[in-house]
Amino acid sequence: MHSPEAATATQRDSRSAGVRNTLLVILALNLVVVAIKVIVGLRTGALSVLGASLESALDALNNVVGMAVVSVAARAPDEDHPYGHDKFETLGALAIVGFLSISCFELLRHGVAQLLNRSTPKPPTLAEVGLLLSTALINVVVVWYERRRGRELASSFLLADAAHTSSDLLVTLLALTSLVLARLGYGGADPVLAIVVALLIAWSGYSILRENVPILVDRRGVDATEIRRLVCEIPRIHDVRVVRSRSTPSGVLFAEVTIGVAADTTVADAHSLADQVEARISERLGASEVTVHVEPA
């Protein structure tokens, strides 16, 4: 029979492999998108398209970084990291914000420069418009696939990267709009749309920060009132004195609970009550590692 530790290690390795395989598929699709956007951007000189190609190149780079980060996050707890390495995955999600910031700055800088210089892109051909449209369709597939896999694998990195790719989809649609307008003789809209693209990238970065910073600063994983209610349902527990909790990127809840029991409770009974608390929290709140302290009431 396998030990709980071995089962946990197997589950962690399986999850890591799943995330890496997902990123490998997405990387291949993103490289196709980058190639198309670079070709169309260079042929037309459209800043919004070149900005979109930068955004997609960052997507591909994020996939490479992600595969490395997830491998580290999957390592078993050790002496230096007794709670595991899950937060390395959160750090990877924050690295995405850094890449987003770079692309946002560059797009704003070039957009303002082109707006002041009144430069316009070359009118595109129908084939070039069609190629850019195909990258939008690929983006839709990537977002759908990565979000589904991110939820299945409880991966904050995949979900953050899917959010990034969602912004890439909007960027692609704006670039497509710029090409259509340029074909109709309104090429002056390109730098304006490039600035809009930069603002969308900035919003995407803010959304990723809002979701991942709470994990890094150990914000409570579950409302303490909910844990108290669950624990107080167990007979012979007089009160719940201390409740602390935090969550990991993979969804594991770490909780510390101090319970009060009758002063004449035996050590064996106290141990049994602690086991019941651990089982109740895991049963109601999902995968959990609970530490229970027992004190006389």
Side-chain angles (χ1 to χ4, degrees):
M1 182 178 294
H2 295 291
S3 66
E5 292 79 6
T8 300
T10 300
Q11 182 180 18
R12 184 170 52 244
D13 291 341
S14 176
R15 174 178 176 273
S16 176
V19 173
R20 287 197 304 271
N21 290 338
T22 299
L23 288 172
L24 191 58
V25 172
I26 294 169
L27 173 61
L29 293 173
N30 280 334
L31 289 176
V32 172
V33 169
V34 171
I36 293 174
K37 287 181 178 179
V38 167
I39 291 171
V40 174
L42 291 177
R43 285 177 61 87
T44 62
L47 179 59
S48 57
V49 178
L50 291 172
S53 68
L54 172 62
E55 177 81 354
S56 296
L58 290 174
D59 279 337
L61 179 59
N62 292 339
N63 298 150
V64 175
V65 171
M67 285 186 281
V69 168
V70 169
S71 296
V72 174
R75 294 176 183 172
D78 54 33
E79 186 174 346
D80 291 329
H81 303 88
Y83 292 99
H85 300 76
D86 271 6
K87 286 188 179 180
F88 281 96
E89 189 169 334
T90 307
L91 288 175
L94 295 183
I96 292 178
V97 177
F99 297 143
L100 287 172
S101 300
I102 295 171
S103 57
C104 179
F105 173 77
E106 288 299 317
L107 276 180
L108 280 174
R109 185 167 68 88
H110 289 290
V112 171
Q114 283 206 8
L115 196 59
L116 293 176
N117 295 331
R118 297 182 181 275
S119 58
T120 59
K122 173 186 174 184
T125 64
L126 285 176
E128 290 165 346
V129 174
L131 282 172
L132 194 59
L133 178 60
S134 70
T135 66
L137 297 178
I138 294 174
N139 285 154
V140 170
V141 172
V142 167
V143 171
W144 169 80
Y145 175 65
E146 191 166 21
R147 279 181 178 167
R148 180 172 67 83
R149 293 292 288 162
R151 294 189 185 103
E152 290 174 354
L153 298 167
S155 170
S156 63
F157 189 92
L158 287 181
L159 292 174
D161 196 49
H164 183 190
T165 306
S166 295
S167 71
D168 193 21
L169 175 59
L170 292 175
V171 168
T172 302
L173 292 177
L174 285 171
L176 185 62
T177 300
S178 176
L179 286 190
V180 172
L181 290 175
R183 185 171 173 81
L184 296 175
Y186 300 99
D190 181 59
V192 176
L193 291 175
I195 293 173
V196 175
V197 165
L199 296 177
L200 287 173
I201 293 173
W203 175 257
S204 179
Y206 167 74
S207 299
I208 294 173
L209 284 176
R210 185 177 57 188
E211 292 176 6
N212 287 278
V213 167
I215 294 176
L216 283 178
V217 299
D218 288 333
R219 188 181 69 180
R220 69 180 183 184
V222 177
D223 190 341
T225 303
E226 175 65 11
I227 293 180
R228 282 193 169 90
R229 184 186 66 78
L230 292 175
V231 174
C232 285
E233 292 175 353
I234 300 173
R236 296 191 296 164
I237 293 181
H238 288 209
D239 60 353
V240 180
R241 299 175 180 178
V242 177
V243 175
R244 297 189 184 94
S245 67
R246 65 179 180 85
S247 295
T248 67
S250 59
V252 176
L253 174 69
F254 284 90
E256 296 179 18
V257 181
T258 300
I259 60 175
V261 301
D264 59 353
T265 302
T266 65
V267 172
D269 287 341
H271 183 73
S272 175
L273 288 172
D275 287 343
Q276 291 179 54
V277 170
E278 294 174 10
R280 178 64 60 87
I281 292 175
S282 295
E283 176 187 343
R284 300 291 183 83
L285 301 179
S288 305
E289 293 195 18
V290 184
T291 302
V292 182
H293 302 280
V294 182
E295 296 180 353

